[in-house]
């Protein structure tokens, strides 16, 4: 057996941020994402990843809370619900995973020209190599996106 015959395991790096679902969550997620990708040497992916993360966390804040009561606690600044953002460095891509407490899966829609909202999933579709959403057994859902390493869509 030669050294060429030995298959080395693929090392994947992970970074995770659990945060309250509140109006500051998108900003915290953007800063975290930019810092982690910079530390991993993936500067070319920062702009696209930050935009995707911002859309995912904003959607989670607007639509992903599991209880109506959560609206009151957010307004009072005492959110008890959280989302978890996981970044994953793979050999071919950066994975972005967001888990929230709502079982409702995202539904793409077409926003009219004069509408301020409704383009988040269109943006994610345009930037990401792929994205999926799936229920989580315990509670809620996870949305996963991948950005291909070595080529960016915003360049």
């Amino acid at each position: 057996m030669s050294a060429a015959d030995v298959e080395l395991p693929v090392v994947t790096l992970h970074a995770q941020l659990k945060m309250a679902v509140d109006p500051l969550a998108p900003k915290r997620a953007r800063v975290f994402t930019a810092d982690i990708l910079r530390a991993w040497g993936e500067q070319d992916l920062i702009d696209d990843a930050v935009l995707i993360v911002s859309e995912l966390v904003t959607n989670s804040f607007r639509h992903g809370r599991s209880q109506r009561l959560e609206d009151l606690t957010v307004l009072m600044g005492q959110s008890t619900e959280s989302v978890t953002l996981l970044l994953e460095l793979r050999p071919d891509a950066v994975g972005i995973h967001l888990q929230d407490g709502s079982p409702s899966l995202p539904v793409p829609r077409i926003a009219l020209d004069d509408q301020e909202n409704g383009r988040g999933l269109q943006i994610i579709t345009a930037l990401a190599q792929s994205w999926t959403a799936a229920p989580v057994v315990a509670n809620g859902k996870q949305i996963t996106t991948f950005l291909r390493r070595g080529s960016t869509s915003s360049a």
Side-chain angles (χ1 to χ4, degrees):
M1 177 181 260
S2 70
D5 296 331
V6 176
E7 206 170 300
L8 297 174
V10 175
V11 176
T12 302
L13 298 176
H14 296 87
Q16 182 173 304
L17 174 65
K18 187 172 184 176
M19 63 194 135
V21 180
D22 63 28
L24 296 177
K27 180 179 181 179
R28 287 192 299 271
R30 288 191 301 266
V31 170
F32 173 78
T33 300
D35 289 348
I36 293 300
L37 291 182
R38 198 171 293 109
W40 288 347
E42 295 295 329
Q43 289 84 348
D44 291 346
L45 295 178
I46 291 174
D47 290 344
D48 287 353
V50 163
L51 185 51
I52 288 170
V53 163
S54 186
E55 291 297 332
L56 290 175
V57 175
T58 299
N59 282 350
S60 186
F61 173 69
R62 288 186 179 157
H63 311 291
R65 293 189 300 273
S66 62
Q67 303 171 14
R68 181 126 177 100
L69 176 63
E70 195 60 30
D71 292 334
L72 296 174
T73 59
V74 167
L75 289 174
M76 296 170 52
Q78 301 171 348
S79 178
T80 57
E81 191 139 358
S82 64
V83 296
T84 301
L85 172 63
L86 174 69
L87 302 178
E88 172 184 48
L89 183 65
R90 295 177 169 202
D92 61 338
V94 168
I96 301 168
H97 311 270
L98 187 83
Q99 185 173 335
D100 67 26
S102 171
S104 299
L105 298 178
V107 178
R109 58 185 181 144
I110 297 176
L112 300 175
D113 289 343
D114 61 344
Q115 290 180 309
E116 292 183 20
N117 301 316
R119 292 175 183 81
L121 293 176
Q122 291 175 0
I123 291 169
I124 291 169
T125 299
L127 297 177
Q129 176 183 351
S130 64
W131 72 270
T132 61
V136 174
V137 174
N139 185 27
K141 68 178 167 299
Q142 179 169 300
I143 301 171
T144 299
T145 67
F146 291 99
L147 287 172
R148 185 181 315 273
R149 293 178 67 194
S151 65
T152 60
S153 61
S154 65

